[in-house]
Amino acid sequence: MAWSDSYLDAVLIPLGLLVPAAYHLWLWRAVRRRPLRSTLGINAATRRLWVFAMMKDNEKKAVLVVQSLRNVIMGSTLVATTSVLLCTGVAAVLSSTYAVKKPLSEAVFGAHGERVVALKYGALLATFLLAFLCHSLAICALNQATFLVNALSPAAASAAAAPLRLPGVTRDYVADVLERGFLLNLAGNRLFFAGAPLLLWILGPVLPCICSIAMVPVLYNMDMVVSDDKGIVDGGRDGAANAKVEIMDVIGNDESMQVV
């Protein structure tokens, strides 16, 4: 393969991969240092508050727990099904005797060799299969969290105290299982989004590079909280690694929850 035919792929495709990777590394560091400055940290703390509240008054809110988690599971199921359909389409193109690349071979920039085409479709398959795997694991974790929230509620514990007292199975464990499901859901969504530039790579290396760079400001506006009042969204001036959810006893047996 001549360098003149492949230099665009060798330059633009790594650049299109490097920019989103650098953004997500920065996002991970930002969430670890100041979690309440990002929607990811705020949502994680809110989910922990939510699961504690659902477990506290589960006798009245058991249906709400099932319906809320069912909506998330339906979203993961939709994305997982779409990923499998896209993988099936890519596999059908690879196994087809019709040379799909011929009509486009003279209309796009970059390399057109068989190895490059195989690399394009192989990257597509790997990305969508990983997205499917993440969403499948997210569905398993969310289903498990649904059982744990209802099983470890005070009402269920009073009805059958002995069987429910398992070592290590606490409210924090339930919240961790729920958070694991949402993190897998987030990873699956980001992998699914990464499939868009790879699909455009079929048309040449210019469009995927532009798409990857354009996605960064969109994701930034989704992930970060922008506010003029620093006291509202500041996650702690000491650079705390994670937001903590404290349970404070108030009057009698009532409890109030707050994020610190």
Side-chain angles (χ1 to χ4, degrees), residues 49-229:
L49 292 174
W50 178 82
V51 71
F52 288 165
M54 294 299 104
M55 294 178 67
K56 176 185 175 183
D57 196 12
N58 185 260
E59 187 175 358
K60 298 179 181 178
K61 300 178 180 179
V63 178
L64 177 61
V65 173
V66 175
Q67 290 179 343
S68 300
L69 295 181
R70 182 191 62 185
N71 294 335
V72 183
I73 292 173
M74 289 175 62
S76 293
T77 304
L78 176 62
V79 180
T81 305
T82 306
S83 299
V84 170
L85 289 176
L86 290 173
C87 289
T88 305
V90 173
V93 170
L94 290 176
S95 61
S96 176
T97 57
Y98 176 69
V100 181
K101 64 179 183 295
K102 280 187 177 180
L104 300 175
S105 60
E106 298 180 356
V108 297
F109 298 101
H112 312 298
E114 293 182 358
R115 293 184 179 179
V116 176
V117 173
L119 178 62
K120 293 177 181 180
Y121 288 112
L124 273 174
L125 277 174
T127 301
F128 288 123
L129 283 176
L130 285 175
F132 170 77
L133 177 63
C134 288
H135 280 289
S136 299
L137 294 175
I139 292 171
C140 295
L142 292 173
N143 282 327
Q144 184 66 18
T146 305
F147 285 105
L148 290 174
V149 169
N150 292 324
L152 297 180
S153 63
S158 61
L164 291 177
R165 294 186 178 277
L166 301 175
V169 182
T170 61
R171 294 191 304 174
D172 290 331
Y173 172 77
V174 178
D176 291 339
V177 172
L178 180 67
E179 187 61 25
R180 187 182 306 122
F182 276 92
L183 286 177
L184 288 168
N185 180 277
L186 176 65
N189 286 333
R190 295 302 167 93
L191 286 170
F192 188 80
F193 296 158
L198 293 177
L199 281 173
L200 293 176
W201 191 16
I202 299 175
L203 303 177
V206 178
L207 290 178
C209 182
I210 296 175
C211 181
S212 297
I213 296 175
M215 285 178 63
V216 171
V218 176
L219 293 176
Y220 177 83
N221 289 328
M222 292 173 55
D223 295 334
M224 302 305 295
V225 177
V226 180
S227 176
D228 294 334
D229 190 356

Side-chain angles (χ1 to χ4, degrees), residues 12-22 194 197-198 208-209 212:
L12 295 181
I13 297 304
L15 178 62
L17 295 175
L18 181 61
V19 172
L198 293 177
C209 182
S212 297

